[in-house]
Amino acid sequence: MNLTIDNQLITLDVLRSAWQQQLTVSLGESAKRRIAESNELIVEVVAGGEQVYGVNTGFGQLASVRISDDELAHLQANLVRSHAVGVGEDLDDDIVRLIMLMKVIALAEGYSGVRLELVETLCDMINHNIFPRIPSRGSVGASGDLAPLAHMSGALIGEGEVRVNGSLLPASVALENAGIRPVKLAPKEGLALLNGTQVSTALALAAAFRTENLLAAVMMAGAMSSDAIKGSDTPFDKRIQNVRGHGGQIAVAAVLRGLMHGSDIRASHQECDRVQDPYSIRCQPQVVGACLDVLRHVCSVLETEANAVTDNPLVFTDSKSVLSGGNFHAEPVALAADYLALAIAEIGALSERRIALLIDSHMSGLPAFLVADGGVNSGFMMAQVTAAALASENKSHAHPASVDSLPTSANQEDHVSMATFAARRLHTMLDNVADIIAIELLAAAQGIEFHRPKKSSPVIEAVISDLRKISPAYEEDRSLSSDIRRVAASVDHGAYCEHAASVLPSLAT
């Protein structure tokens, strides 16, 4: 993907593409002009001797310490070095690529006072697939994602390590190999790089995109489970949804109707005496639809944040002002991530309940535990236990991170957002839900096949055919672990998005 940053809105679909694939980034003329004008004002401030936080002062509680002009470059390099204290496993390169892109977007707005050379170097690193090694832990999401962004910034000045095509190299070596000169930081540049919410926002965006993939899959799994138990599609009637009015509910019901359209199994029991299905079947539009509404809200917040200027202080060339504020505080991201955590937990919880329904012969009308020769074979008994364990684990992960604030920097930073952890923990939850949905897909396919020669809808039959290439029909006991893992990978990679793309925020056209 080729992307020119020129002060335009970078939309969700572009951000999703940047997360999924390599890209080439360049700056447009408007962005170059605004960057240059902003930097000129910082040069004037330094020349005039005015004391400005982060330009010629210390940081945090040391903001009152005036730094001499001959130490200003040293000040910025020391800021990067002292703040590079992250720990834990490294962030994946796709997350780092998003972080770097959003830092370019923010700096290109022309409110940060950095030189054009710095922003273009960041672009060059993206274009050469040079991704700084960034530990995932160590940010409280206030005053920006300081520690992880310091690791990113260290690579810009030729320090630390980077990954190039999956291989670790010293940053200085990787830059030299690519013909990129390390940046010698000028006044304010270290602070502009370290202040910002790009790490927490990238983690949250990636989680939102993964949630889209899982929502598409859980709608498919739900439609399949409905047909497997000979459930009714009447609760998905658009008239029922319209009188309540929630957009997500209306959209999910429409997807479910489309997935089940043309099912011979559904047609075979139109006149049956069952009055109502269990809630996990009947209330899918209401539950999954509410989760879709949450996702849409979260995506709106994150799109705004991805385009935001979140460093400090900010440079306003029209009034020749350098103003200190708090745009680095990541509370909007923290609250959005906590909100999304609830939806992710509910997606998994509903799917697990349908697995339990499928294996219960009294409720589903299917052979107990979805195996023909029960007793000798245990079938899907333990697969449901795994799903229950994962759904229960997610209840703990869904506890809000944003309500827990520990002061830092000698109480100068006395309220923090915890946005980075709030966003990072979403990925553990999503891993769990992908496995739950994989189990439901396998169980529902097994259930539908007990109705042969009757068939489900053409769309669902095609999905079952694809599943059988990964996991053969369950005729006698065997380990399902590897089957679950393979199906979960297809869920997580968006294998079912084509059937629901029109309702998903970053895929809708």
Side-chain angles (χ1 to χ4, degrees):
M1 182 177 69
N2 297 316
L3 179 61
T4 299
I5 306 295
D6 207 21
N7 311 123
Q8 79 276 33
L9 177 72
I10 305 301
T11 54
L12 281 173
D13 59 318
V14 174
L15 293 166
R16 182 179 176 112
S17 295
W19 168 63
Q20 290 177 313
Q21 60 185 269
Q22 296 179 5
L23 75 157
T24 300
V25 184
S26 59
L27 298 172
E29 293 306 312
S30 174
K32 290 179 180 179
R33 175 181 55 79
R34 292 173 66 159
I35 292 169
E37 290 174 353
S38 176
N39 178 245
E40 287 170 8
L41 183 55
I42 291 297
V43 172
E44 290 177 18
V45 166
V46 172
E50 181 183 350
Q51 182 169 321
V52 176
Y53 172 72
V55 176
N56 49 19
T57 72
F59 307 103
Q61 265 219 338
L62 301 175
S64 61
V65 178
R66 178 67 181 261
I67 308 300
S68 63
D69 288 356
D70 60 347
E71 290 285 351
L72 294 184
H74 191 202
L75 170 72
Q76 299 299 316
N78 273 357
L79 177 69
V80 171
R81 293 170 184 139
S82 66
H83 283 56
V85 291
V87 297
E89 63 276 13
D90 295 341
L91 295 176
D92 291 339
D93 287 352
D94 53 3
I95 300 290
V96 176
R97 183 167 56 240
L98 260 184
I99 293 168
M100 297 170 75
L101 172 62
M102 288 189 291
K103 182 56 78 173
V104 170
I105 293 168
L107 297 178
E109 286 295 309
Y111 296 101
S112 301
V114 302
R115 293 166 299 158
L116 179 60
E117 169 192 338
L118 182 144
V119 188
E120 288 184 329
T121 301
L122 199 52
C123 292
D124 287 342
M125 290 178 65
I126 297 172
N127 298 343
H128 285 86
N129 297 314
I130 299 173
F131 300 120
R133 184 179 188 181
I134 302 179
S136 59
R137 300 168 188 261
S139 174
V140 296
S143 208
D145 290 315
L146 294 172
L149 286 174
H151 286 276
M152 181 202 77
S153 305
L156 271 170
I157 64 175
E159 299 182 8
E161 292 181 306
V162 299
R163 268 189 297 272
V164 181
N165 299 321
S167 298
L168 274 175
L169 290 172
S172 58
V173 173
L175 294 179
E176 183 178 2
N177 291 345
I180 300 171
R181 294 178 60 186
V183 174
K184 292 184 178 180
L185 295 175
K188 194 185 176 299
E189 289 184 338
L191 190 59
L193 287 167
L194 268 59
N195 271 171
T197 64
Q198 286 80 26
V199 175
S200 51
T201 305
L203 285 163
L205 272 171
F209 299 145
R210 291 184 65 193
T211 303
E212 290 183 307
N213 295 346
L214 269 57
L215 265 176
V218 88
M219 285 186 269
M220 176 62 72
M224 291 171 63
S225 291
S226 298
D227 233 11
I229 69 157
K230 291 189 173 181
S232 173
D233 58 1
T234 297
F236 310 149
D237 189 295
K238 65 181 178 181
R239 292 168 291 181
I240 295 173
Q241 327 310 320
N242 288 343
V243 297
R244 196 175 196 188
H246 291 294
Q249 177 180 332
I250 292 168
V252 168
V255 171
L256 291 170
R257 289 196 304 271
L259 293 175
M260 296 182 70
H261 180 71
S263 169
D264 295 338
I265 297 172
R266 176 67 185 109
S268 72
H269 61 95
Q270 290 281 5
E271 307 301 325
C272 71
D273 58 1
R274 182 186 294 179
V275 178
Q276 292 183 328
D277 296 317
Y279 288 2
S280 61
I281 297 293
R282 192 185 350 150
C283 298
Q284 290 180 74
Q286 289 78 12
V287 178
V288 180
C291 294
L292 176 58
D293 282 335
V294 169
L295 177 63
R296 287 171 168 174
H297 168 74
V298 167
C299 283
S300 176
V301 171
L302 296 178
E303 183 180 69
T304 297
E305 192 71 6
N307 288 273
V309 181
T310 54
D311 64 292
N312 182 63
L314 297 176
V315 179
F316 296 90
T317 57
D318 55 350
S319 59
K320 292 189 177 299
S321 304
V322 182
L323 305 180
S324 186
N327 280 2
F328 48 66
H329 199 295
E331 192 76 3
V333 180
L335 293 175
D338 282 345
Y339 198 15
L340 186 58
L342 299 177
I344 293 168
E346 283 295 88
I347 293 167
L350 193 69
S351 180
E352 184 278 327
R353 286 294 78 205
R354 288 195 298 265
I355 298 167
L357 172 63
L358 287 164
I359 67 172
D360 185 341
S361 60
H362 300 291
M363 296 292 291
S364 68
L366 296 165
F369 302 108
L370 300 173
V371 67
D373 191 7
V376 174
N377 294 300
S378 297
F380 278 73
M381 180 189 296
M382 289 306 298
Q384 185 270 328
V385 173
T386 295
L390 297 173
S392 185
E393 183 181 309
N394 274 357
K395 295 176 186 178
S396 296
H397 289 307
H399 184 278
S402 57
V403 299
D404 183 21
S405 174
L406 282 175
T408 61
S409 193
N411 277 312
Q412 175 73 11
E413 299 159 7
D414 58 351
H415 181 275
V416 301
S417 72
M418 296 308 300
T420 320
F421 169 67
R424 179 165 50 82
R425 67 63 148 90
L426 297 177
H427 293 275
T428 299
M429 298 181 70
L430 288 161
D431 290 343
N432 290 343
V433 175
D435 287 333
I436 295 170
I437 296 171
I439 293 169
E440 185 186 1
L441 286 165
L442 292 170
Q446 184 84 357
I448 286 171
E449 289 176 332
F450 279 116
H451 297 303
R452 297 293 187 234
K454 296 183 182 69
K455 291 188 175 183
S456 187
S457 70
V459 172
I460 289 175
E461 288 295 337
V463 167
I464 293 173
S465 178
D466 288 340
L467 283 170
R468 288 294 169 246
K469 297 173 185 175
I470 300 174
S471 174
Y474 197 104
E475 296 176 353
E476 60 181 3
D477 280 348
R478 69 175 194 273
S479 172
L480 277 176
S481 181
S482 59
D483 301 56
I484 294 167
R485 187 166 55 250
R486 288 191 293 268
V487 176
S490 71
V491 166
D492 198 25
H493 292 154
Y496 301 94
C497 283
E498 64 177 296
H499 305 293
S502 63
V503 307
L504 301 174
S506 78
L507 297 174
T509 55

